[in-house]
Amino acid sequence: MAAATIDLDTFLAHVRGVAALLPPGRHAVNLCEDRYRFLVGFCAIALRGQVNLLPPSRAPAVVDDVQRRHEQAWCLGDTAPDPLPAGWFALPEVLPRLPGEVPLLDAAQLVAIGFTSGSTGAPAANPKTWGAFVTSTAQNLQALGDLWGERMPSVVATVPPQHMYGMEMSVLLPLLAPAMLHAGRPFFPQDVAQALAEVPAPRLLVTTPVHLKALVESGVALPPLAGIVTATAPLPQPLAAAAEARFATEVREVFGSTETCIFARRRTAREQAWTLLPGVRLEPRDDGTRVHAPHLAEPVLLADLVEPLPHDRFLLRGRRADLLEIAGKRASLGDLTRRLQAVPGVRDAVMVQLDPEPGQAVGRIAALVVAPEREEADILRELRAGMDPVFLPRPLRRVACLPRNETGKLPRDAVLALLRGGE
């Protein structure tokens, strides 16, 4: 949409106008890419008493699967193929307006279902009520508000609004707190710089480690930032420090999941420990960690293993699913991946454990690596010098790029497909 500033009254008129146009149903797959139109659609769907479905990917097969799994589900988009497929509704280019009262939603109303990324298996559905979103957004504001102080921040995000982190930071924060929303989703470093230049200070960049790495390495100049927030994958400490030095701002990493929303934060350049958000409590268990939070109707069990520290802080000790035991020796996939990524010439990499072959009790370790100037044998030779042979990846395959999704995560099925097919 053309660059413009939209005030609250116009936004509410758009929500009422779009709600009057929407088709009947119980669920709507919200695929809008323009962040403002997504926000209008999200609120209009909720105003009609329907539920926003937020798929982990825009891939047709994923969208079809989400639609099939939910009753009376239709798709909402900025645009749609011509002719319009059955079950699709495209927002008009000029959004309609209707006068009326300020819409109110009941705290118990189910307004969204988010889906996990599929990085450890099939995507799982996670229902969210309006009250849970209101409470979690208030927590996020307490955890991050000191970055911009008393002035209203302008939020520019590189993550899609369908992802729960993108939903929290670039949709709910502007919706429920004093903040300005940039409608775009810039991808390339120069696009990020342009989007930031289009909004007034103080500016908050919401991004991922993958996008942040590209920004730092590009050398592009950014306008002054109040802060950078990152999530979706572990942020390496050297990258956090380089970004702080390069852009003269604080990089704050947040921790959460689709199941829990954000519940902790840290300044990665200076600390390893995480600080819990207000009211959050962790309960370490043998099978993971149970998260208690004001916005959760009941505790949620995550696979992450934590070490509690005083003053509502904790250290992450990996994920139970990442822990390996082969030939009586133990390691974690996360640590093995970090070692592979540290090999000179390796630009990106991932290690996975394959499913056991027939007759075998334990699956082999395999790896994908982006290293245009290194040979596979050379990389394995360097790994062998500091890694137990039982954990060496077999196979290790060079690829042009890893199959990362829009938030930088690596769905397991995409990694396995690339391993099966080679380059």
Side-chain angles (χ1 to χ4, degrees):
M1 59 190 297
T5 300
I6 298 174
D7 60 29
L8 178 60
D9 288 341
T10 301
F11 164 70
L12 294 175
H14 283 160
V15 170
R16 290 186 292 261
V18 169
L21 292 180
L22 297 182
R26 295 185 60 183
H27 301 89
V29 186
N30 193 337
L31 297 175
C32 293
E33 293 190 79
D34 178 284
R35 213 171 297 267
Y36 178 73
R37 293 162 77 86
F38 173 92
L39 178 56
V40 170
F42 174 86
C43 293
I45 289 165
L47 188 57
R48 285 287 298 267
Q50 301 182 28
V51 180
N52 286 265
L53 300 179
L54 309 176
S57 164
R58 297 177 59 86
V62 174
V63 174
D64 288 346
D65 179 63
V66 167
Q67 201 169 357
R68 280 195 303 269
R69 288 164 58 185
H70 294 84
E71 273 188 282
Q72 301 175 38
W74 51 277
C75 291
L76 176 70
D78 295 316
T79 59
D82 187 17
L84 198 66
W88 267 82
F89 179 85
L91 288 175
E93 183 176 348
V94 177
L95 297 179
R97 305 186 191 193
L98 275 182
E101 300 296 321
V102 176
L104 297 176
L105 298 177
D106 188 272
Q109 181 177 333
L110 179 64
V111 293
I113 298 176
F115 295 84
T116 55
S117 64
S119 56
T120 57
N126 293 270
K128 305 293 180 181
T129 65
W130 179 243
F133 273 158
V134 170
T135 303
S136 64
T137 301
Q139 289 177 298
N140 293 341
L141 192 59
Q142 290 186 63
L144 301 171
D146 62 299
L147 289 174
W148 57 82
E150 297 298 321
R151 295 181 297 166
M152 181 174 69
S154 300
V155 179
V156 172
T158 66
V159 289
Q162 288 83 7
H163 187 273
M164 195 53 62
Y165 163 57
M167 181 77 193
E168 287 189 81
M169 293 305 306
S170 69
V171 175
L172 294 174
L173 192 65
L175 180 62
L176 296 171
M180 180 180 292
L181 170 69
H182 186 281
R185 185 164 69 85
F187 181 81
F188 295 107
Q190 193 57 50
D191 297 331
V192 174
Q194 181 177 341
L196 288 166
E198 291 172 351
V199 297
R203 303 174 183 89
L204 182 70
L205 176 61
V206 175
T207 191
T208 70
V210 170
H211 290 135
L212 187 58
K213 183 173 185 285
L215 272 173
V216 170
E217 293 179 348
S218 71
V220 68
L222 300 182
L225 296 173
I228 296 173
V229 180
T230 180
T232 74
L235 176 65
Q237 190 277 335
L239 175 57
E244 290 202 350
R246 177 77 179 78
F247 303 119
T249 193
E250 179 177 335
V251 176
R252 193 166 293 183
E253 187 176 7
V254 294
F255 185 74
S257 66
T258 302
E259 300 94 323
T260 62
C261 293
I262 296 167
F263 64 84
R265 63 176 178 86
R266 70 177 179 182
R267 186 173 182 179
T268 311
R270 298 187 179 182
E271 57 187 350
Q272 287 186 311
W274 297 85
T275 299
L276 294 171
L277 271 55
V280 178
R281 178 171 61 86
L282 300 185
E283 178 189 346
R285 296 163 49 105
D286 291 339
D287 54 350
T289 301
R290 195 178 294 276
V291 181
H292 302 254
H295 62 276
L296 298 174
E298 56 187 29
V300 172
L301 181 65
L302 295 182
D304 301 274
L305 303 174
V306 305
E307 176 186 337
L309 299 174
H311 309 299
D312 293 328
R313 291 162 70 83
F314 68 93
L315 292 171
L316 275 177
R317 295 305 188 194
R319 295 174 63 87
R320 185 166 182 83
D322 286 347
L323 298 181
L324 305 173
E325 185 167 352
I326 302 176
K329 299 176 180 179
R330 294 182 177 182
S332 80
L333 281 172
D335 181 61
L336 295 176
T337 293
R338 283 189 289 274
R339 294 191 195 188
L340 178 55
Q341 291 173 337
V343 172
V346 172
R347 298 181 183 177
D348 202 1
V350 64
M351 293 181 71
V352 297
Q353 184 174 29
L354 304 177
D355 295 331
E357 297 177 356
Q360 300 294 321
V362 178
R364 292 180 293 124
I365 306 301
L368 295 175
V369 60
V370 179
E373 300 171 358
R374 299 297 304 269
E375 295 297 326
E376 294 169 0
D378 293 336
I379 297 171
L380 282 171
R381 191 177 302 113
E382 292 210 28
L383 283 178
R384 192 175 287 113
M387 186 180 292
D388 193 291
V390 300
F391 298 119
L392 286 174
R394 301 179 179 87
L396 179 145
R397 291 201 172 123
R398 284 195 313 159
V399 293
C401 63
L402 296 188
R404 295 189 180 276
N405 63 18
E406 293 176 307
T407 59
K409 291 192 175 184
L410 290 165
R412 179 175 171 82
D413 57 352
V415 171
L416 295 181
L418 203 52
L419 280 166
R420 287 193 297 267
E423 289 199 64

